[in-house]
């Protein structure tokens, strides 16, 4: 399995490697069937579904939470700290319009993982780390089919943000062919949706992302 990085302010460990983000599949059980075979290759799973009704989101969250617990994978809920609390998830990921870190921390507790989107803005990253963010996400680094109009981030953000002392997640249009430069620049995790779920062979794609970290991991601490 991937190596581990202790989260500041959290007893939960977020492993370096592949950060899976769920596709917008409206059927909770079909979503589970798509995600579950990939969990052995994932360090973290984020439940993100902008179109799913609340009841379906809770159903999907319950199914994925149980699967992640069985697989030893950290599960994060996108946008909504209240849903993260209700599901007993490890934490929440907040975009710029999803509320503040202080409110999420008060709701979820000191041990929760709170990640934040920082887009192309290192000053935002500095401010949110000072407010207690446990990890920061930059992107999109490449054109993204999920967010075609997303702000574009430069690779130097990964290098320049190392001083902030929290794990850095790279996201946006990342494929096994272009991810190597991001890992080399310091991305602790590579966040992927279409690069895995839209691949002809999702398991092979997940293996390919994970293999980018193998040269930096102990020999006895790698996925097959």
């Amino acid at each position: 399995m991937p190596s581990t990085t202790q989260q500041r302010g959290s007893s939960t460990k977020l492993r370096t490697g592949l950060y899976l983000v769920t596709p917008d599949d409206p059927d909770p059980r079909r979503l589970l069937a798509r995600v579950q075979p990939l969990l052995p290759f994932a360090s973290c799973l984020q439940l993100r579904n902008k179109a799913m009704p609340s009841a379906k989101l809770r159903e999907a969250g319950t199914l994925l939470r149980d699967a992640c617990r069985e697989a030893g994978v950290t599960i994060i809920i996108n946008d909504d700290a209240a849903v993260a609390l209700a599901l007993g998830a490890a934490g929440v990921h907040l975009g710029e319009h999803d509320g503040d870190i202080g409110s999420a921390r008060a709701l979820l507790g000191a041990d929760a993982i709170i990640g934040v989107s920082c887009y192309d803005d290192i000053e935002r990253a500095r401010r949110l780390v000072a407010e207690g963010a446990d990890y920061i996400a930059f992107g999109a680094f490449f054109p993204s089919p999920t967010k075609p109009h997303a702000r574009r981030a430069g690779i130097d953000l990964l290098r320049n943000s190392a001083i902030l002392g929290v794990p850095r997640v790279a996201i946006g249009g990342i494929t096994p062919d272009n991810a190597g430069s991001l890992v080399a620049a310091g991305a602790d995790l590579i966040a992927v949706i279409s690069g895995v779920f839209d691949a002809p062979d999702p398991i092979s794609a997940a293996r390919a992302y994970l293999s980018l970290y193998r040269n930096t991991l102990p020999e006895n601490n790698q996925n097959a």
Side-chain angles (χ1 to χ4, degrees):
M1 299 294 290
S3 63
T4 57
T5 302
Q6 182 67 39
Q7 301 302 287
R8 188 189 64 172
S10 171
S11 63
T12 304
K13 293 180 179 181
L14 189 63
R15 301 192 304 272
T16 60
L18 179 61
Y19 185 135
L20 281 177
V21 182
T22 58
D24 285 339
D25 192 316
D27 185 316
R29 292 198 173 274
R30 187 172 59 207
L31 181 60
L32 175 66
R34 296 176 68 183
V35 169
Q36 198 160 25
L38 301 168
L39 292 179
F41 309 99
S43 301
C44 183
L45 177 75
Q46 183 186 128
L47 174 57
R48 176 189 183 276
N49 195 310
K50 300 292 187 178
M52 188 177 276
S54 177
K56 289 287 187 182
L57 184 66
R58 299 281 181 120
E59 181 184 354
T62 299
L63 292 170
L64 292 172
R65 177 203 63 201
D66 293 347
C68 284
R69 285 178 178 173
E70 185 175 349
V73 172
T74 299
I75 184 167
I76 303 289
I77 306 301
N78 181 257
D79 290 355
D80 196 325
V83 172
L85 179 66
L87 292 173
V92 67
H93 182 90
L94 301 175
E96 60 187 335
H97 304 301
D98 299 330
D100 63 278
I101 292 173
S103 297
R105 182 69 70 195
L107 185 65
L108 298 176
D111 288 344
I113 295 174
I114 299 178
V116 291
S117 293
C118 297
Y119 310 101
D120 59 349
D121 189 347
I122 196 167
E123 294 306 320
R124 174 178 167 84
R126 288 194 179 101
R127 174 172 57 83
L128 294 179
V129 168
E131 292 177 11
D134 293 302
Y135 73 81
I136 50 179
F138 293 110
F141 285 95
F142 306 101
S144 168
T146 303
K147 292 185 176 182
H149 304 297
R151 282 165 274 184
R152 294 289 295 277
I155 196 169
D156 283 347
L157 281 168
L158 295 170
R159 300 187 183 97
N160 296 339
S161 58
I163 195 171
L164 299 180
V166 297
R168 291 152 290 163
V169 179
I171 192 168
I174 303 173
T175 69
D177 291 334
N178 63 30
S181 61
L182 302 176
V183 174
D188 297 290
L189 295 107
I190 296 293
V192 179
I193 306 175
S194 60
V196 168
F197 290 102
D198 292 347
D201 184 342
I203 289 177
S204 292
R207 285 181 185 272
Y209 287 105
L210 187 61
S211 71
L212 297 168
Y213 287 93
R214 283 184 173 152
N215 290 336
T216 65
L217 301 177
E219 185 176 348
N220 63 351
N221 197 30
Q222 300 175 14
N223 271 333

